[in-house]
Amino acid sequence: MKLFRINSLGSAVRAILGWPLLIVGLYFLAALIGSAIPANPDWREPEHGITLFVETNGVHVSLIVPMAAAGQDLSNLIRPEHLADRDLYGTHAMIGWGHGRVYRNARTWGDVQVGDVASAIVGSDDTTLHIYHLVDPRPAPYRKPFRVSQQDYAKIIGAIRSTFRLAADGQSRAYPAYAPDNLFYDSKGHYSAYTTCNEWTGAVLRKAGVRIGIWTPMPGGVMRWFD
């Protein structure tokens, strides 16, 4: 039995346009559902602990963590000498992960290139960590604070550390980014429509035991848990 029949140019055009739109629609529906179902539903923010932030620019969601706290120190990976001006070295690092070409070429939605998007959707091992240096960050509409225990914090830092791709000498490699206070770093990981930049942030928190959606490929799917 035939499931459908293309007997005119119009029906062919509708089929060509309809299936991709259906797939995109199902993707966004799955993202909405996945971000609404909590992983670690019993997790509660501790009264005392380490304060972190999630921050979004509308495209990416990044984690903001202290450069050093509770026995965890990132200064051997995010080193002062990586910066042209060491005075910009922060008390905190805002860390995001994602598709290398999209990150490097697209600071805003207006900079996004079709070829980069196609590569990101199909999947790519070209990934990067993007790190801003911040000094004593404060809450803002686009930056939401939350606390974690020392145990959860150690897991978060462990996940971040494991994402760095180290050179043969065991050192991290930094490259210029958008401004003097931020850099790109070589990273591990495979980017895809499933494992997006925002899902990386969600997965880091999820694996540490923090309550967040079971799948968070979109920025709103992460930020909704911290309003």
Side-chain angles (χ1 to χ4, degrees), residues 27 30-31 34-35 97 117 119-124 190-203 206-207 213-218:
Y27 177 85
S35 67
W97 172 91
V117 172
S119 174
I121 292 172
V122 172
S124 173
H190 180 80
Y191 188 98
S192 69
Y194 181 82
T195 309
T196 67
C197 53
N198 303 303
E199 168 56 15
W200 177 84
T201 300
R206 196 160 50 242
K207 291 174 183 177
I214 61 172
W215 184 48
T216 56
M218 309 301 291

Coordinates of all heavy atoms in Angstrom, one line a residue, residues 27 30-31 34-35 97 117 119-124 190-203 206-207 213-218:
Y27 N 11.6 18.2 16.8 CA 12.8 18.5 17.6 C 12.5 19.5 18.7 O 12.9 19.3 19.9 CB 13.9 19.0 16.7 CG 15.2 19.4 17.4 CD1 16.2 18.4 17.6 CD2 15.4 20.7 17.7 CE1 17.3 18.8 18.3 CE2 16.6 21.0 18.4 CZ 17.6 20.1 18.7 OH 18.7 20.4 19.3
A30 N 10.4 17.9 21.4 CA 11.1 17.1 22.2 C 12.0 17.9 23.2 O 12.2 17.5 24.4 CB 12.0 16.1 21.4
A31 N 12.6 19.0 22.7 CA 13.4 19.8 23.5 C 12.6 20.4 24.7 O 13.0 20.5 25.8 CB 14.1 20.9 22.7
G34 N 11.8 17.5 27.1 CA 13.0 17.1 27.8 C 13.4 18.1 28.9 O 13.9 17.7 29.9
S35 N 13.3 19.4 28.5 CA 13.7 20.4 29.5 C 12.7 20.6 30.6 O 13.1 21.2 31.7 CB 13.9 21.8 28.8 OG 12.6 22.3 28.3
W97 N 30.8 25.6 26.2 CA 31.4 24.6 25.2 C 30.4 24.6 24.0 O 29.2 24.7 24.1 CB 31.4 23.2 25.9 CG 31.8 22.1 24.9 CD1 33.1 21.6 24.7 CD2 30.9 21.3 24.1 NE1 33.0 20.6 23.8 CE2 31.7 20.4 23.4 CE3 29.5 21.3 23.9 CZ2 31.2 19.4 22.6 CZ3 29.0 20.3 23.1 CH2 29.8 19.4 22.4
V117 N 26.1 26.2 10.6 CA 24.9 25.6 11.1 C 24.7 24.2 10.6 O 24.4 23.2 11.4 CB 23.6 26.4 10.8 CG1 22.3 25.7 11.3 CG2 23.7 27.8 11.5
S119 N 27.0 22.1 9.6 CA 28.0 21.3 10.2 C 27.6 20.9 11.6 O 27.7 19.8 12.1 CB 29.3 22.0 10.2 OG 30.3 21.2 10.9
A120 N 27.0 21.9 12.3 CA 26.6 21.6 13.7 C 25.4 20.6 13.8 O 25.4 19.8 14.7 CB 26.2 23.0 14.4
I121 N 24.5 20.7 12.9 CA 23.4 19.8 12.9 C 23.8 18.4 12.5 O 23.4 17.4 13.2 CB 22.3 20.3 11.9 CG1 21.7 21.6 12.3 CG2 21.2 19.3 11.7 CD1 20.7 22.3 11.3
V122 N 24.6 18.3 11.5 CA 25.1 16.9 11.1 C 26.0 16.3 12.2 O 25.9 15.1 12.5 CB 25.9 17.0 9.8 CG1 26.5 15.7 9.5 CG2 24.9 17.5 8.7
G123 N 26.8 17.2 12.8 CA 27.7 16.7 13.9 C 29.1 17.0 13.5 O 29.5 16.8 12.4
S124 N 29.9 17.3 14.5 CA 31.3 17.7 14.3 C 32.1 17.5 15.5 O 31.7 17.7 16.7 CB 31.4 19.1 13.8 OG 32.7 19.5 13.7
H190 N 31.9 15.7 21.0 CA 31.3 15.7 19.6 C 30.0 16.5 19.7 O 29.1 16.2 20.5 CB 31.0 14.3 19.2 CG 30.4 14.2 17.8 ND1 31.1 14.3 16.7 CD2 29.1 14.1 17.5 CE1 30.3 14.2 15.6 NE2 29.1 14.0 16.1
Y191 N 30.0 17.6 18.9 CA 28.8 18.5 18.9 C 27.8 17.9 17.9 O 28.2 17.4 16.8 CB 29.2 19.9 18.4 CG 28.1 20.9 18.6 CD1 28.0 21.7 19.7 CD2 27.1 21.0 17.6 CE1 26.9 22.6 19.8 CE2 26.0 21.9 17.7 CZ 25.9 22.7 18.8 OH 24.9 23.5 19.0
S192 N 26.5 18.0 18.2 CA 25.5 17.5 17.3 C 24.2 18.2 17.7 O 24.1 19.0 18.7 CB 25.3 16.0 17.4 OG 24.7 15.7 18.6
A193 N 23.1 18.0 16.9 CA 21.8 18.6 17.3 C 21.3 18.0 18.6 O 20.5 18.6 19.3 CB 20.8 18.2 16.2
Y194 N 21.8 16.9 19.0 CA 21.5 16.3 20.3 C 22.4 16.9 21.4 O 21.9 17.3 22.5 CB 21.6 14.8 20.3 CG 21.2 14.2 21.6 CD1 19.9 14.0 22.0 CD2 22.2 13.8 22.6 CE1 19.5 13.4 23.2 CE2 21.8 13.3 23.8 CZ 20.5 13.1 24.1 OH 20.1 12.6 25.3
T195 N 23.7 16.9 21.2 CA 24.6 17.4 22.2 C 25.0 18.8 21.8 O 26.1 19.0 21.2 CB 25.9 16.5 22.3 OG1 25.5 15.1 22.4 CG2 26.8 16.9 23.4
T196 N 24.2 19.7 22.2 CA 24.4 21.1 21.8 C 25.2 21.8 22.9 O 25.5 21.2 24.0 CB 23.1 21.9 21.7 OG1 22.4 21.9 23.0 CG2 22.2 21.2 20.7
C197 N 25.6 23.1 22.7 CA 26.3 23.8 23.7 C 25.5 23.9 25.0 O 26.0 23.8 26.1 CB 26.6 25.3 23.2 SG 25.1 26.2 22.6
N198 N 24.2 24.1 24.9 CA 23.3 24.2 26.1 C 23.1 22.9 26.8 O 23.1 22.8 28.0 CB 22.0 24.8 25.7 CG 22.2 26.2 25.0 OD1 22.8 27.1 25.6 ND2 21.7 26.3 23.8
E199 N 23.1 21.8 26.0 CA 23.0 20.5 26.6 C 24.3 20.1 27.4 O 24.2 19.4 28.4 CB 22.7 19.4 25.5 CG 22.8 18.0 25.9 CD 22.0 17.6 27.2 OE1 21.1 18.3 27.6 OE2 22.3 16.5 27.7
W200 N 25.4 20.6 26.9 CA 26.7 20.4 27.6 C 26.6 21.0 29.0 O 26.9 20.3 30.0 CB 27.9 21.0 26.9 CG 29.2 20.9 27.6 CD1 30.0 19.8 27.6 CD2 29.8 21.8 28.5 NE1 31.1 20.0 28.5 CE2 31.0 21.3 29.0 CE3 29.4 23.1 28.9 CZ2 31.8 21.9 29.9 CZ3 30.2 23.8 29.8 CH2 31.4 23.2 30.3
T201 N 26.1 22.2 29.1 CA 25.9 22.9 30.4 C 24.9 22.1 31.3 O 25.2 21.8 32.4 CB 25.4 24.3 30.2 OG1 26.4 25.1 29.5 CG2 25.2 25.0 31.6
G202 N 23.8 21.7 30.7 CA 22.8 20.9 31.4 C 23.4 19.6 31.9 O 23.2 19.2 33.0
A203 N 24.2 18.9 31.0 CA 24.8 17.6 31.4 C 25.8 17.8 32.5 O 25.8 16.9 33.4 CB 25.4 17.0 30.2
R206 N 23.6 18.1 35.5 CA 22.8 16.9 35.8 C 23.7 15.8 36.4 O 23.3 15.1 37.4 CB 22.3 16.4 34.4 CG 21.1 15.5 34.5 CD 20.3 15.4 33.2 NE 21.1 15.3 32.0 CZ 21.2 16.2 31.1 NH1 20.5 17.4 31.2 NH2 21.9 16.1 30.0
K207 N 24.9 15.6 35.8 CA 25.8 14.6 36.3 C 26.3 14.9 37.8 O 26.7 14.0 38.5 CB 27.0 14.4 35.4 CG 26.6 13.8 34.0 CD 27.7 13.8 33.1 CE 27.3 13.3 31.7 NZ 28.4 13.3 30.7
G213 N 16.5 19.8 33.6 CA 15.8 18.9 32.7 C 16.7 17.8 32.2 O 17.9 17.8 32.2
I214 N 16.0 16.7 31.8 CA 16.7 15.5 31.3 C 17.4 15.7 30.0 O 18.3 15.0 29.6 CB 15.8 14.3 31.3 CG1 14.6 14.5 30.3 CG2 15.2 13.9 32.6 CD1 13.8 13.3 30.0
W215 N 17.0 16.7 29.2 CA 17.6 17.1 28.0 C 17.4 18.6 27.7 O 16.3 19.0 27.7 CB 17.1 16.3 26.8 CG 17.8 16.5 25.5 CD1 19.1 16.5 25.3 CD2 17.2 16.7 24.2 NE1 19.4 16.8 24.0 CE2 18.2 16.9 23.3 CE3 15.8 16.8 23.8 CZ2 18.0 17.2 21.9 CZ3 15.6 17.1 22.4 CH2 16.6 17.2 21.5
T216 N 18.5 19.3 27.6 CA 18.4 20.8 27.5 C 19.1 21.4 26.3 O 20.1 22.1 26.5 CB 18.9 21.4 28.8 OG1 20.3 20.9 29.0 CG2 18.1 21.0 30.0
P217 N 18.7 21.1 25.1 CA 19.5 21.6 24.0 C 19.3 23.1 23.7 O 20.1 23.7 22.9 CB 18.9 20.8 22.8 CG 17.5 20.5 23.2 CD 17.5 20.3 24.7
M218 N 18.3 23.7 24.3 CA 18.0 25.1 24.0 C 18.3 26.0 25.3 O 18.2 25.5 26.4 CB 16.5 25.3 23.6 CG 16.0 24.4 22.5 SD 17.0 24.6 21.0 CE 16.5 26.3 20.5

